[in-house]
């Protein structure tokens, strides 16, 4: 029996990393918001590795933070280790990675939701979406509670028809022993939403007390204290080390001899798993020539002895998992606290989405996170804040907020999902971003803070900090350009020591010196004797912007060409079947995706340059016909 449990502007279904960001964004933008979760104990849960960031993923965290999201601030609070990766490479691929205390992360995020004005957090299992005349109007729980809303955001993660698989054992279930969501899948299909099936997995958790760390290599955090959030004030934190070990020939032998018991090779799985995070079974089979694979033993928190075995994701039977773990150096006497498993789940086919993450055929219904076929907390959080923002804008009758591929990694992520048909869980990679020199993690605030302010998420205090940083960067760059390096014996001597060319007769600006690869900003200050102290983040920005100025200009020129293509809009009502000259495959793909621009059409697999030429001619003919009608 249904009853009216509440009326809201926005209802968010699910309270994982996408749901938390969506709910907070909608509430902070002034919408009365309700977040529904299967279990209050699973809010912001980290069912896989309790780590945040890394290549490309760290960029997403910084971008969410710059827009006014929570994942960066929350990770800084809960972090037990921080490391900056790829420091030997250029700034475009530098990536911050944190090991988090998973319980602290959950508790801090749950409290943030509970204390957010305008947001209600409730435990309930949603089993039905109510759609009338092509528009979402409510969701209904398994107890009959009906929550009416102007917009709904589904962030159900891996819970939709979740099935846990361990060896030949399988049963309905969600991550970490939670209940699955069964009825909602059928409800979505009844309103015309197409679903796919994916799988993912997780390794065993082992007892710290049973590990011999003397046989492993320590992996400490950075000595320098770092933060994800641009407004975090944490200056010092206790760092807990991770540990590096490796598989052995014996590990591989045990796995090979038991492949007949591995669900992955017995046809048990219906869905496809993530290629970029393969199980240990897959690694042993796919890379048969490799004698070892790296394994990282990572803490799950300060107040637990559970350790995460990074690199050994598996769905092998329990006895085989224990046997193979005990062949790894340092794990000879290991005790397993939680067994590894695989989980299969339904997901929404993301080509059914608009760029604002709204379903094309159900107005007001948005989806974000793993329900869209992605993997990872960071990808989920990025979609979550965008879906929450756009749900709020939808309710207010305002234009959607969309980030392009040239503006943010978030734009790349969403554009890929909506435009490209994915056949495996999608993971963000730096290689997916064409303009990665412009979209660095260090300048996410300079790129997105003003946008976050315009939509109402960035606080005045944060905006003030951003404006101060921006003005300091510009002032210092200007000073370096106009100040000439003094020609002294001291400077000549120092330049010679670092194998740098001498000073030209016509002189050189300080900016010109800084552009030399061998000269850092700190070395420049030593050369000139500058005593003024600037914040670290300002010095970092000045050095990158000056040193890479030429490359940045070239990439900005590429962006201008990209934007011209994006500016060529395709009519929403275009009938591709009537456009002569387009291939059959292209017509099918174009009808399915319904791209908003020529630029988006270019990125659809199966649409050739010849098809794009036909579309450009079609647009030009349409423009001319419109001009003729105006004349008459």
């Amino acid at each position: 029996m249904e009853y009216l449990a509440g009326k809201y502007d926005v209802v968010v279904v699910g309270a994982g990393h996408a749901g938390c960001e969506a709910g907070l964004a909608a509430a902070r933008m002034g919408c009365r918001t309700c977040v529904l979760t299967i279990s209050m104990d699973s809010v912001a849960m980290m069912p896989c590795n309790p780590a945040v960031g890394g290549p490309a993923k760290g960029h997403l965290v910084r971008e969410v933070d710059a827009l006014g999201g929570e994942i960066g601030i929350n990770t800084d609070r809960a972090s037990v280790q921080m490391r900056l990766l790829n420091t030997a490479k250029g700034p475009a691929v530098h990536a911050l990675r944190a090991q988090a205390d998973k319980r602290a992360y959950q508790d801090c995020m749950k409290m943030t939701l509970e204390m957010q004005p305008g947001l209600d957090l409730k435990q309930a299992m949603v089993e039905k979406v109510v759609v009338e005349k092509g528009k979402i109007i409510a969701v209904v729980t398994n107890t009959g509670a009906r929550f009416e809303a102007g917009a709904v955001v589904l962030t159900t993660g891996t819970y939709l028809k979740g099935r846990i698989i361990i060896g030949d054992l399988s049963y309905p279930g969600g991550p970490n022993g939670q209940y699955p969501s069964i009825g909602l899948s059928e409800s979505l299909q009844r309103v015309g939403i197409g679903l796919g099936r994916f799988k993912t997995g997780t390794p065993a958790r082992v007892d710290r007390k049973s590990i011999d760390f003397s046989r492993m290599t320590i992996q400490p955090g950075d000595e320098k204290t770092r933060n994800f959030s641009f407004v975090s004030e944490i200056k010092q934190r206790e760092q807990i080390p991770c540990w590096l070990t490796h598989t052995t020939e014996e590990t591989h032998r045990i796995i090979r001899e038991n492949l007949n018991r591995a669900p992955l090779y017995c046809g048990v799985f219906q869905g496809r798993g993530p290629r970029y995070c393969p199980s240990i079974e897959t690694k042993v089979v796919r890379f048969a020539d490799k004698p070892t694979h790296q394994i990282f033993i990572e803490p799950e928190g300060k107040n637990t002895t559970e350790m995460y075995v990074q690199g050994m994701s598996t769905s092998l039977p329990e006895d085989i998992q224990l046997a193979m773990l005990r062949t790894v150096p340092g794990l000879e006497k290991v005790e397993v606290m939680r067994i590894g498993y695989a989980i299969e789940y339904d997901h929404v086919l993301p080509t059914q989405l608009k760029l604002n993450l709204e379903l094309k055929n159900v107005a007001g219904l948005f989806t974000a996170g793993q329900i869209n076929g992605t993997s990872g907390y960071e990808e989920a959080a990025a979609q979550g804040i965008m879906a929450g923002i756009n749900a709020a804008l939808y309710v207010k009758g305002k234009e959607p907020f969309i980030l392009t591929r040239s503006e943010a990694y978030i734009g790349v992520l969403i554009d890929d999902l909506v435009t490209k048909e994915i056949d495996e869980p999608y993971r963000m990679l730096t290689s997916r971003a064409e303009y990665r020199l412009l979209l660095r993690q260090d300048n996410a605030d300079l790129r997105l803070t003003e946008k976050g302010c315009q939509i109402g998420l960035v606080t005045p205090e944060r905006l003030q900090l951003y404006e101060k940083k921006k003005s300091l960067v510009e002032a210092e760059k200007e000073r370096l350009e106009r100040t000439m390096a003094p020609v002294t014996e001291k400077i000549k001597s120092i330049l010679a020591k670092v194998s740098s060319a001498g000073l030209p007769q016509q002189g050189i600006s300080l900016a010109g010196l800084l552009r030399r690869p061998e000269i850092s900003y700190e070395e420049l200050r030593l050369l000139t004797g500058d005593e003024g102290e600037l914040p670290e983040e300002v010095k970092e920005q000045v050095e990158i912007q000056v040193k890479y100025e030429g490359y940045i200009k070239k990439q900005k020129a590429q962006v201008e060409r990209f934007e011209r293509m994006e500016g060529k809009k395709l009519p929403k009502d275009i009938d591709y079947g009537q456009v002569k000259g387009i291939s059959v495959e292209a017509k099918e793909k174009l009808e399915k995706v319904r791209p908003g621009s020529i630029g988006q059409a270019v990125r659809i697999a199966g649409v050739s340059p010849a098809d794009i030429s036909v579309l450009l001619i079609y647009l030009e003919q349409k423009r001319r016909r419109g001009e003729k009608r105006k004349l008459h």
Side-chain angles (χ1 to χ4, degrees), residues 484 487 502-508:
M484 300 303 289
V487 181
L503 297 174
Q505 287 185 347
Q506 70 273 23
I508 186 172

Side-chain angles (χ1 to χ4, degrees), residues 487-550:
V487 181
T488 65
E489 291 303 318
K490 177 187 173 184
I491 288 181
K492 289 178 181 179
S493 173
I494 293 174
L495 289 176
K497 284 181 181 178
V498 295
S499 301
S500 187
L503 297 174
Q505 287 185 347
Q506 70 273 23
I508 186 172
S509 69
L510 295 183
L513 271 181
L514 185 54
R515 290 188 184 100
R516 296 182 177 185
E518 65 276 8
I519 304 293
S520 70
Y521 183 80
E522 285 303 322
E523 286 166 334
L524 186 70
R525 286 161 58 85
L526 290 173
L527 280 171
T528 58
D530 290 336
E531 295 181 0
E533 190 59 40
L534 290 170
E536 281 294 322
E537 64 269 22
V538 172
K539 291 189 285 188
E540 178 186 46
Q541 274 309 300
V542 169
E543 179 163 356
I544 291 171
Q545 289 185 28
V546 171
K547 199 173 284 293
Y548 293 90
E549 182 184 32

Side-chain angles (χ1 to χ4, degrees), residues 420-433:
K420 301 173 182 178
E421 293 182 285
I422 59 171
D423 57 3
E424 63 179 348
Y426 180 99
R427 178 179 181 176
M428 193 69 240
L429 304 168
T430 51
S431 60
R432 298 190 194 274

Side-chain angles (χ1 to χ4, degrees), residues 86-108:
N86 296 335
T87 53
K89 300 178 181 178
V93 293
H94 288 178
L96 192 60
R97 183 183 187 272
Q99 194 71 20
D101 182 315
K102 67 190 304 179
R103 179 55 61 186
Y105 188 96
Q106 282 188 257
D107 291 344
C108 289

Side-chain angles (χ1 to χ4, degrees), residues 46-50 102 158 164-166 171 174-177 199-206 269 274 277-281 298 300 306-316 321 324-325 336 338-345 377:
M46 292 178 150
C48 204
N49 187 6
K102 67 190 304 179
T158 61
I164 301 296
I165 301 167
I166 306 169
Y171 55 90
N176 251 14
K199 80 167 186 71
T200 189
T202 188
R205 271 59 161 193
V206 297
F269 292 121
C277 189
S279 67
I280 189 64
E281 302 96 282
E298 301 172 331
E300 295 235 318
E306 283 188 84
M307 303 287 282
Y308 184 89
V309 188
Q310 170 80 296
M312 289 194 82
S313 174
T314 184
S315 58
L316 282 163
Q321 289 192 39
M324 72 177 184
L325 281 167
V336 173
R338 303 192 202 207
I339 206 68
Y341 63 88
I343 182 169
E344 273 196 335
Y345 56 95
Y377 311 138

Side-chain angles (χ1 to χ4, degrees), residues 154-230:
L154 298 180
T155 65
T156 53
T158 61
Y159 286 82
L160 287 184
K161 279 193 177 176
R163 183 171 72 120
I164 301 296
I165 301 167
I166 306 169
D168 55 5
L169 173 69
S170 70
Y171 55 90
N176 251 14
Q178 298 290 325
Y179 291 111
S181 173
I182 304 299
L184 188 54
S185 279
E186 282 87 353
S187 178
L188 293 175
Q189 288 176 314
R190 281 196 296 272
V191 298
I193 297 171
L195 303 179
R197 191 88 172 151
F198 277 161
K199 80 167 186 71
T200 189
T202 188
R205 271 59 161 193
V206 297
D207 193 337
R208 181 186 181 91
K209 302 190 302 294
S210 64
I211 300 173
D212 180 3
F213 292 108
S214 68
R215 302 206 61 203
M216 301 180 180
T217 304
I218 193 168
Q219 300 279 297
D222 290 347
E223 289 185 13
K224 180 180 178 179
T225 301
R226 304 180 190 275
N227 291 304
F228 269 110
S229 176
F230 291 99

Side-chain angles (χ1 to χ4, degrees), residues 569-589:
K569 300 299 182 184
L570 288 164
K572 292 181 180 179
D573 60 351
I574 184 172
D575 182 356
Y576 291 102
Q578 299 302 312
V579 181
K580 295 178 180 179
I582 297 179
S583 69
V584 174
E585 182 185 9
K587 286 180 181 178
E588 182 183 316
K589 294 292 181 69

Side-chain angles (χ1 to χ4, degrees), residues 24-35:
L24 289 170
R28 289 168 177 172
M29 290 174 67
C31 291
R32 186 160 182 255
T33 303
C34 182
V35 177

